Amino acid sequence: MTDTPTQLFIGGAWLDAADGATMPVDDPATGEILCRIADAGPKDARLAEEAAVQAQEEWARTAPRARSEILRRAYEIILERTDELAHLMTAEMGKPLAEARGEVAYAAEFFRWFSEEAVRIDGGAGILPDGRNRMLLSRRPVGPCLLITPWNFPLAMGTRKIGPAIAAGCTMVLKPAPQTPLSSLALAAILQEAGLPDGVLNVVTTSRAGEVCEPLLRGGRIRKLSFTGSTNVGRLLLAQSAEAVVRTSMELGGNAPFIVFEDADLGKAVDGAMLAKMRNMGEACTAANRFFVHHSVAEEFGRRLAERMGALVVGPGTRDGVDVGPLIDRTGRGKVEALVADAVERGARVLVGGRTPEGPGCFYPPTVLTDVSPGSRLMDTEIFGPVAAILTFGDEDEVIRRANDTPWGLVGYVFTEGLDRALRVSERLEVGMVGLNTGLVSNPAAPFGGVKQSGLGREGGRVGIDEFLEYQYLAMPVR
Ligand code: NAP
């Protein structure tokens, strides 16, 4: 912790907030303050925007190979410092160290992937159909970007945006979540060490997100917003972006269905459920939120899942052998408690968990609810906690209709041993991603994103860089 930067990173310099404001970063395992960091206001945001705008032209002209090599070096530094970064992440966010190490590797991979993409930005040339005109097509960076990230994957949500922005030749202002700013500041220091020129990445940590971001979005100099967070905040930012017609990428909330058919391999389904539900203590946009299990296997599935969930060890993420860390804060835990209470009031049975432990920290036990009523509030909102809610279904059409009956469409999970059914059901689910007999879809080489109110655009994969590039078409007569 002693070497972790705690100031704003603007134009390559570490600065206090202009008004001297600071804010605390808490440890969710103890509720104690880890440290205080700079708390930016609108003046600091303007300075960061100015730094990004000033650096844009030269950065856009930098050789793709040079941009690629900065990313590659940063990838290597991140991996060398896995342990240090994982401890930092666990301290500010709570996830167990083993998961934090996994996230460091996942986060680094975005830099390796986009270091490879930076040198593959292509254009096109050709004769237009009239035969009289020629077309030259080139791709250029969209311009200075505002990147806003959530707290649940403090490092990976940053690298998933910064990687393609650097590869495309964009400069940026990053505003991380106030609960987990330390990972982003550490990342900025690593990129500086890897040779990123001053002003290309600027980081403003703040407790005043609206005051800091809105003027940038409306000001006309920021050309792109890439946001990951809740659908409600995404909607607000889309409205703010409309004024200056800022291009947007939106990675928003989910309400993932997890469907287990009667012909599923139940062993695989329970393994998949553990991953899809318990990765990140259930605090993931991809977390399975609604378990639809065929009535003929529901009891057996519930029993096996409850056994596995009940065996998980809850405790501070730094302690050996812990599987489940604390939730991010008391508000997050309070939401989970209220959703479970509502489901139980409407007739759900608690197979395991369901009771908040005494003592400090924001812990909540792995919980399995069965006989959940379709009217329960946890059917219409992200639980964002370690709670699996099981409902039963009778036939394929019915479960597809119920799975799609939500404004969200990020990911769905399907468990069946029948190939025809697997493809048929996957194709009918209104989601951007499907986990077929697996509980994990995230991979830097695959396009991540949702449909409906889960977002706009994709991050990662071959298309991830497109979000940061514009086309320019040049017309020229054929002589
Ligand atoms: P959130 O409340 O929407 O916040 C996300 C980020 O937006 C934070 O940095 C937050 O800062 C900032 N923010 C909030 N209001 C703002 C405003 N008016 N102007 C500018 N920035 C603002 O979401 P969260 O609770 O941190 O994260 C959980 C949500 O993220 C869930 O819905 C989850 O599904 C979603 N998520 C989606 C993906 C995906 O790829 N689709 C990945 C991870 C998470 P403040 O906290 O200071 O307001």
Side-chain angles (χ1 to χ4, degrees):
M1 286 291 304
T2 43
D3 296 338
T4 306
T6 55
Q7 291 168 293
L8 312 176
F9 184 60
I10 299 178
W14 295 97
L15 305 175
D16 289 329
D19 61 4
T22 63
M23 61 182 191
V25 181
D26 296 338
D27 177 349
T30 61
E32 282 165 16
I33 295 178
L34 285 169
C35 62
R36 296 192 72 85
I37 61 162
D39 185 359
K43 215 169 162 185
D44 305 295
R46 284 284 184 214
L47 200 64
E49 178 194 51
E50 179 63 23
V53 168
Q54 289 305 326
Q56 179 59 63
E57 201 177 332
E58 197 177 329
W59 180 238
R61 275 203 307 266
T62 306
R65 178 63 74 199
R67 301 200 299 264
S68 162
E69 281 171 358
I70 291 168
L71 282 173
R72 178 74 201 199
R73 272 197 296 279
Y75 158 77
E76 278 157 13
I77 300 172
I78 293 173
L79 288 189
E80 277 161 24
R81 305 212 181 130
T82 295
D83 238 45
E84 201 181 302
L85 289 165
H87 273 92
L88 193 61
M89 197 188 300
T90 295
E92 64 177 351
M93 192 273 169
K95 67 180 74 184
L97 272 176
E99 278 204 61
R101 288 192 189 96
E103 183 181 336
V104 172
Y106 175 54
E109 197 54 40
F110 283 104
F111 279 4
R112 177 158 70 165
W113 175 262
F114 285 107
S115 79
E116 290 156 354
E117 292 300 289
V119 291
R120 315 234 182 283
I121 300 169
D122 54 8
I127 305 294
L128 292 173
D130 62 16
R132 295 193 298 274
N133 286 291
R134 186 179 278 129
M135 167 181 80
L136 291 179
L137 205 52
S138 62
R139 306 188 78 194
R140 51 190 56 209
V142 60
C145 303
L146 174 62
L147 314 177
I148 302 179
T149 53
W151 49 263
N152 60 347
F153 291 96
L155 203 61
M157 295 302 97
T159 58
R160 200 163 79 171
K161 298 184 189 306
I162 296 168
I166 288 181
C170 293
T171 61
M172 63 212 104
V173 176
L174 168 68
K175 194 218 78 66
Q179 296 93 334
T180 57
L182 301 176
S183 298
S184 297
L185 293 170
L187 188 61
I190 287 174
L191 280 160
Q192 189 175 39
E193 192 180 330
L196 193 71
D198 294 349
V200 174
L201 169 68
N202 306 277
V203 184
V204 287
T205 51
T206 182
S207 63
R208 300 169 267 177
E211 271 176 66
V212 158
C213 296
E214 189 171 354
L216 302 196
L217 287 175
R218 294 190 191 275
R221 302 217 292 170
I222 289 293
R223 297 307 317 141
K224 161 93 195 178
L225 166 67
S226 179
F227 171 74
T228 298
S230 61
T231 297
N232 277 343
V233 173
R235 203 177 280 123
L236 176 83
L237 298 177
L238 277 169
Q240 292 176 4
S241 301
E243 191 170 314
V245 195
V246 173
R247 236 180 104 178
T248 57
S249 298
M250 294 276 150
E251 294 289 348
L252 307 177
N255 184 5
F258 186 105
I259 305 173
V260 182
F261 283 100
E262 65 278 21
D263 63 351
D265 175 327
L266 279 197
K268 276 189 215 163
V270 173
D271 286 349
M274 292 301 291
L275 251 181
K277 183 73 250 180
M278 292 309 294
R279 177 169 177 245
N280 224 37
M281 289 92 71
E283 294 172 316
C285 53
T286 50
N289 211 54
R290 298 168 293 154
F291 286 81
F292 294 107
V293 185
H294 191 269
H295 63 73
S296 63
V297 293
E299 200 176 322
E300 175 69 3
F301 176 84
R303 190 187 59 73
R304 289 208 218 172
L305 184 61
E307 206 172 284
R308 293 276 295 275
M309 293 277 270
L312 296 174
V313 178
V314 181
T318 44
R319 193 181 290 163
D320 277 348
V322 161
D323 304 299
V324 185
L327 297 182
I328 188 67
D329 52 27
R330 290 197 172 255
T331 313
R333 182 172 73 175
K335 178 183 172 189
V336 174
E337 289 168 336
L339 290 174
V340 170
D342 170 77
V344 169
E345 230 166 74
R346 293 171 198 259
R349 278 191 301 131
V350 181
L351 292 187
V352 70
R355 213 166 275 190
T356 304
E358 301 278 320
C362 306
F363 298 98
Y364 194 83
T367 297
V368 179
L369 304 176
T370 192
D371 299 336
V372 173
S373 147
S376 305
R377 279 176 45 215
L378 44 65
M379 291 295 107
D380 300 325
T381 185
E382 289 180 288
I383 302 169
F384 246 58
V387 178
I390 301 176
L391 299 96
T392 57
F393 71 90
D395 71 55
E396 197 176 298
D397 281 339
E398 174 207 339
V399 75
I400 291 170
R401 183 180 45 74
R402 289 169 66 189
N404 287 338
D405 185 19
T406 166
W408 289 282
L410 188 63
V411 59
Y413 303 92
V414 179
F415 283 77
T416 170
E417 291 296 295
L419 179 62
D420 286 351
R421 169 179 270 166
L423 296 180
R424 194 169 59 230
V425 173
S426 301
E427 284 162 10
R428 289 181 64 194
L429 284 181
E430 294 170 356
V431 290
M433 302 174 287
V434 177
L436 193 50
N437 293 323
T438 177
L440 182 70
V441 294
S442 307
N443 191 300
F448 187 103
V451 299
K452 293 158 72 176
Q453 294 185 27
S454 285
L456 300 167
R458 293 293 180 269
E459 287 191 326
R462 294 301 310 275
V463 297
I465 197 167
D466 294 346
E467 303 281 329
F468 294 88
L469 292 168
E470 296 280 18
Y471 279 105
Q472 189 182 55
Y473 146 57
L474 192 150
M476 217 175 126
V478 176
R479 300 239 188 260

